[in-house]
Each structure stands twice: as structure tokens, then as C-alpha cells.
Amino acid sequence: MEDDALLAEQMAYYDDGAAEYDRPYTEYEPLRKLLTVVDDLPITGDVLELACGTGQWTPLLAARARSVTAVDASAEMVAIARARAASPKVRFVRADLFAWEPPGRYDTVFFAFWLSHVPPARLPDFWKTVASALAPGGRAIFVDDGPAVAAEEEVLADHPVPAAVRRLDDGSQYRIVKVFHDPRTLTEDLTSLGWSARVRPVAGHFVGIAEPPANRTHAVGRS
């Protein structure tokens, strides 16, 4: 399947480019400012962080959480994240998010710049996995690139799966899945899956908070 080939190339990109991953956070002030949105988000209790990368967000989550389980498929990324977010509150897991099943339930499931790397055909199953990881009353919180960021990417036209090309300093290049979700459309898509969602644009990116169908059922039951 085209999805499988793209995802394998995407994983190789993040393995091989781990040392370069943090550069945008040092070069672009809007991206550094985006990290501060954590202060205004309802991050509480036990947190599951999906695709933690080099751990840019992990210590910010740990400051607000009881515990953080941070998951990423790249061993190189996880090694950097461990050094950045060393804390008794934080546990790291290396796993392929398309095959891994959460071992428990969490009050918050958080993911930054991951949703855009999920092939559209896999989105319903991804959201089911997120829902299964949430404790009653829990929320999914997510941050990602909006459509405006597409102008900064080398997007592959007429590709069967939305994709872009990324290049590393050594000249190597990789295809990655890259879906630029529109906040309004994403909200509608989540609603169609039974979620209650609020997705707002933030300087070319977006921040979303969503509650799964089970939480809505519980709320109706309490009325």
C-alpha cells in the first residue's frame, strides 16, 4: 500500500534527521511562542503524549500533569527527549503508533504536529485509538500546521496520499505524509465521528480540544 511505503519513509526521515529536528524551534519565534499555548490548555492528570519527538512539549506537559507517558517510533528522537525531559514523572515508550495499543487510560491525550502525518484513510482508526486511551471525562488536545503552512513545504502534487518532500543537511530527501487540516473541516470531520471538538487557528497553526463519543454519552446519562 502507498500508505505503508510513505510511512516507512517518514519514519526513516525522523530517525535520520533527529539531530536537525529542533532547528525550527530556534529559528522561528512564532513556533517558540506556540509552545506557550500549553499554559492555557486543560492538561491534567495522567497524560499520554503521542509522537513526542525530541521532547519539546514533554517537560511543559509534565509541569501540569501527574504523569506523562511519551511515545515515539524513533529511537533517535526518544534519546534526545529523554535527556530534555528527564523527570520521575515522565516515562518514554518507543513504539509505532499505527501498531501500538495504549496499555491504560489517561486524563489527557496530547499530540503536536502528528495529526498531519496520519494518512487520511487511517484517521478514523487513529481517533478510535485516541478514544480508547481516554478515561471518562478525558480530552484529546492537539496542535498542528494549518493550510497556510503548505506554502513553506515542498508539497507533492497529485499524490494519492497527501505528501511532501523533506531534505536533510546531507542532501538526502524523504517523502512524508503531510495533511494540512483546515480547522473548520477538521471540526466537522470529528463531529461526524461522534466527537465534540473545538479547533481554533493560531498564527498559521491550530489548537484543538476534543472529547470522544463515550464522554458525550456519559454527559447525557447524567442529565
Side-chain angles (χ1 to χ4, degrees), residues 66 75 151 185 211 217:
R66 180 168 51 243
T185 303
E211 298 182 9
T217 301

Side-chain angles (χ1 to χ4, degrees), residues 43-149:
I43 295 164
T44 59
D46 296 313
V47 175
L48 173 63
E49 182 185 10
L50 302 178
C52 67
T54 59
Q56 285 283 351
W57 299 81
T58 311
L60 303 176
L61 300 174
R64 302 176 63 87
R66 180 168 51 243
S67 71
V68 177
T69 300
V71 186
D72 201 279
S74 168
E76 287 75 8
M77 291 280 195
V78 169
I80 296 171
R82 285 185 192 277
R84 170 173 280 134
S87 166
K89 279 188 176 184
V90 181
R91 181 173 74 95
F92 288 94
V93 177
R94 184 192 172 198
D96 177 356
L97 292 179
F98 293 108
W100 181 73
E101 294 185 4
R105 293 203 164 194
Y106 303 84
D107 303 293
T108 307
V109 176
F110 178 89
F111 38 102
F113 301 106
W114 169 245
L115 191 62
S116 58
H117 292 321
V118 179
R122 302 193 184 209
L123 275 173
D125 283 343
F126 171 71
W127 286 110
K128 285 179 183 177
T129 298
V130 174
S132 72
L134 285 168
R139 298 182 180 96
I141 299 175
F142 45 95
V143 178
D144 216 314
D145 294 320
V149 181

Side-chain angles (χ1 to χ4, degrees), residues 20-40:
E20 302 172 27
Y21 180 83
D22 287 336
R23 186 177 300 159
Y25 285 93
T26 62
E27 294 180 347
Y28 301 110
E29 185 179 0
L31 192 54
R32 292 197 301 274
K33 285 186 175 180
L34 190 61
L35 291 167
T36 65
V37 303
V38 169
D39 295 335
D40 300 319

